[in-house]
Each structure stands twice: as structure tokens, then as C-alpha cells.
Amino acid sequence: MDVSSPLSISLPGFIASGFSFIFIFFLYVKLWGYSTGKDIGEEQIDALSAQIKSGAVKFLKTEYTYLCVFVASLAIVLFVLFLTTQPENAFSFAMANSLSFIFGASLSASAGWWGMMVATDGNAKTTAACAGNKTTGQKGTLNEGLKVAFTTGSVMGFAVVGLGLAGISLCYLLLSYTFDAEVDVVQCLAGFGFGASSIALFARVAGGIYTKAADVGADLVGKVEAGIDEDDPHNPAVIADNVGDNVGDVAGMGADLFESYVGSIIATATLAVSATTDGSASVKPDEKIALAFFLPALGIICSIIGYFAVNTKEEGKGWNVELGALMWALEKGMYLAGFLFLIGSYVIVMPILGLDSGIYFSVIIGLLSGIIIGKFTEYFTSFDFGPVKSIKDRGMTGPATVVIQGLGVGMISTVPPVLVLAVAIVSTAALAGSYGVAISA
């Protein structure tokens, strides 16, 4: 396949992003059809949800107001720096970097805002699906709640990848028609990732600080001082806690995922270009750059298919439920998408782009490493397994032993992922060099 033109490299990204936005519309249609608190005779659910959404919107508006000033100021600084240090095409280079920075920051903030808005609405609908309908006597089920929650989360997930791939593809296309050298293109493309990173840093940290402050405050005032249950609606700090969960764990995470997503694409494209400086005639820079855009596009299509495999027959029984059985409900979709991705990536890497098998094996190693790290994370954080149970058992002897055991488990939990990453890095580097490490991510 001829990928010598910038459009041929960017086009799959535009197509996959289009499918992502169409699928988001499909998910919104599903969400609109789910019951609210009013529909099931529990209007308090809607009232509490509205308070949480109002607080989250106020927080993000305030946060983004300050971030707009920060982004504009830093864009001016970048413009001046490149204007005064770039030996050739200084004005074009400075303008391209500054605009790429602003574009990346804007899309990163949009991904977080989009996710937060749909999450605050989805929370109430998930509660309604699990609670059942008082007016009709229909009981809620865990599967119905899972469908609503997963649909809500999928909106943010596909918004992140759709905005990210469309943004990076458009940025690459415009920069390719602005500069002749690929080195200049990817250097300006880094400005897009820098903008995304700047928003992710502040959104994640600011939201995280807020949610932890509200969480601790709610617990101290409610459970310790007032003696009421955790998450009791009579405690105003509980509303603040839930606001924090949305602005930190949803909006902040959305911006963070956006940054990681586009950062891996930019890093892979940059390494593909830098490989041409070694004088080798077989590096195929255009094909390697194209692969950095083609694989994310394939991932979107596979994820859309995997979405339909998520469901469960488990019943919600609180702490008596087997968390592993619930995780399998989600993992079915992940494994299906992963299997389809392995097949599709083989077709893209070898028959279509004609690249080495070492690159394909690097993709396999990266995918398997992510799954293995996920399983280790589940082992150390699920109450089905020994580590969490050991922390719970220390509660019989007081808070001091809980803290000590928790710290110990936390430190041990970092070892398996580090080993998996080390093996993956060494293996992919041996197979395809630094590009193999990047494409595996």
C-alpha cells in the first residue's frame, strides 16, 4: 500500500474517528431510553444527581477559566522561544508549535468535559436500573445496571479516542502540507501532545486534590463527628465528595487518557522518523509512521465490536458477590476486542504495509503485557484475593496494623508490573529496536 502522501496516512484515523462519533450517538440514544429516578418513583435520585452535576460543572468552569489563561500564556512563550531560536522558517515553526499546543490542550479539556457531563447523568440512570421500578414492581438487576454504567463509560472512552485520533490526524495532515521535512512535522506534532499533557496534569491533580479533601472531610464530619452513615445524603460534604469523584476520576482521567493516547502515537511517529537518520534503506519511515495511525484506528473498530460482548448473569449481593465473575463481564469485551485486534494488526503490519514480523510480535507483546498487568492489578485490589483480605483481617487489631499491612501490600504490588514492563521492553527492543518499544505501547 502506498502511504507516501500525508492524506493516505491520516485518512484511516479520520474514518475510525467518524465511526467512533457515530457509535457515541448510538450510545446516547440508548442512554436516553433508560429510566431516571422520576420514572421509577424515586425522584430524590434525580435531585441528588442534579446537585452533583451542578457542582461538577461549576468546578470545571472555574478550573478551565484558569487553564485558559495558562494555556494562552504558555503558547505565547512557546511562540517567542521558537521564533528566537529556530534558524530557518522561524515564524512558521513558532506559529505551528503554538497552534498545535492550543489545539491539543483544547481537545484534552473537551474530552474531560464530555466524559464528566455524561457521567453525571449516567450515575442516576445506573442507580435507577439497579433499584428497580416502584410503580410497576419490576426488580432491578445487576446486568441492567452494568449495561447503563458501561454505556455511560463507553461514551467517554470513545470520545477520548475519537477526539484524540481525529485531532492528531488533522494536525499531522496540516503540518505535512506546511513543512517539507518529516522531522519538522513530528517536532511540531509534539506541541499537540504537550498541550494535552498540560491539561491532563492540572485536571488530574486539581480534581484529585479536591476529591480527596471532600472525601476525607465527609468522613470526618459525618462518621466521626455526627455519627451518621457514610454517603448519607444529610451530609452536604457527601455531595462535594461525589462532585470530586466526577471532576477528578472522570474529567481528570479523561484528559489523562487523552494525553497518554496521543502521546503514544506521537512518540511512535517520532521514532519512525528518527530511524531514517541511520542511513539504512530498509527502515520504511512512511510505513512506520502510517502504522502509528493505522493501529489506533483498528483499535477503535475492534472496541466497538467488543462493546456488545459485555453482560453478566451475576446477582448483586454486596460483599458476598464474586468480583471475579463481575470482572469477567467486562473482560469478555476486552478479550474479544484484543483477539480481533491481533488479527487486524497482522494484516496491517505485514500484507498491507510490508513491515517486518518483529514489529508484529512487538504489538503482540505490548497487548499481552497490558492484559497481564491488568490481571496483577485485579489480584492486588480485588477482595476476592489474599492481598485485600489480609488488609481487612488486620482491622481486627486496630488502624495501625491496617496502615502497615496496606503499605506493605502496596509496595509489593509494584513489583510484578515492573517485571512485566522490563521483559516487554527488552523483548520488543530486541525484535524491532526503539520503534518496537514504542509500537508495543
Side-chain angles (χ1 to χ4, degrees), residues 85-96:
T85 58
Q86 190 69 16
E88 298 179 359
N89 297 326
F91 180 81
S92 298
F93 207 80
M95 183 62 70

Side-chain angles (χ1 to χ4, degrees), residues 81-337:
L81 285 176
F82 283 108
L83 186 65
T84 55
T85 58
Q86 190 69 16
E88 298 179 359
N89 297 326
F91 180 81
S92 298
F93 207 80
M95 183 62 70
N97 271 279
S98 299
L99 292 178
S100 296
F101 172 79
I102 295 173
F103 188 37
S106 301
L107 290 184
S108 181
S110 299
W113 178 274
W114 198 344
M116 187 275 295
M117 292 297 287
V118 71
T120 49
D121 291 333
N123 292 339
K125 291 177 179 288
T126 302
T127 304
C130 293
N133 195 323
K134 275 189 174 182
T135 57
T136 63
Q138 182 181 0
K139 293 184 178 180
T141 65
L142 186 63
N143 188 47
E144 289 300 317
L146 173 65
K147 287 181 179 179
V148 180
F150 190 70
T151 299
T152 303
S154 296
V155 171
M156 190 191 82
F158 284 103
V160 167
V161 296
L163 289 173
L165 190 55
I168 199 72
S169 298
L170 178 60
C171 199
Y172 175 81
L173 183 64
L174 295 177
L175 290 172
S176 296
Y177 286 120
T178 304
F179 301 100
D180 296 327
E182 287 284 1
V183 175
D184 294 336
V185 172
V186 295
Q187 186 169 350
C188 292
L189 203 61
F192 183 91
F194 184 40
S197 298
S198 64
I199 294 296
L201 172 65
F202 286 98
R204 196 78 172 105
V205 173
I209 292 173
Y210 177 86
T211 187
K212 288 306 166 191
D215 190 6
V216 173
D219 286 344
L220 288 177
V221 174
K223 290 192 292 186
V224 178
E225 295 183 8
I228 58 179
D229 294 335
E230 185 173 2
D231 293 339
D232 190 301
H234 296 95
N235 185 354
V238 171
I239 300 297
D241 181 19
N242 282 273
V243 168
D245 290 338
N246 282 281
V247 299
D249 298 336
V250 179
M253 180 62 76
D256 198 11
L257 290 173
F258 181 94
E259 180 271 332
S260 300
Y261 183 73
V262 301
S264 63
I265 298 175
I266 294 170
T268 306
T270 302
L271 287 172
V273 172
S274 64
T276 61
T277 59
D278 64 2
S280 174
S282 61
V283 292
K284 295 186 176 181
D286 291 336
E287 285 77 3
K288 289 183 176 180
I289 294 173
L291 184 62
F293 289 86
F294 285 14
L295 289 184
L298 172 65
I300 290 177
I301 304 302
C302 295
S303 297
I304 291 175
I305 298 172
Y307 166 86
F308 295 98
V310 175
N311 57 72
T312 184
K313 295 181 180 178
E314 293 294 314
E315 297 180 5
K317 296 180 180 179
W319 288 95
N320 296 323
V321 73
E322 288 291 330
L323 189 59
L326 298 182
M327 287 300 298
W328 173 243
L330 301 175
E331 289 172 352
K332 286 186 294 185
M334 180 184 70
Y335 291 142
L336 175 59

Side-chain angles (χ1 to χ4, degrees), residues 4 14 39 47 57 63 93 101 108 112 132 145 153 176 229 265 273 338 361 364 372 394 398 405 417 436:
S4 57
F14 291 132
D39 297 329
V57 169
E63 182 183 52
F93 207 80
F101 172 79
S108 181
S176 296
D229 294 335
I265 298 175
V273 172
F361 287 120
I364 295 176
I372 293 171
R394 296 307 181 274
Q405 182 69 13

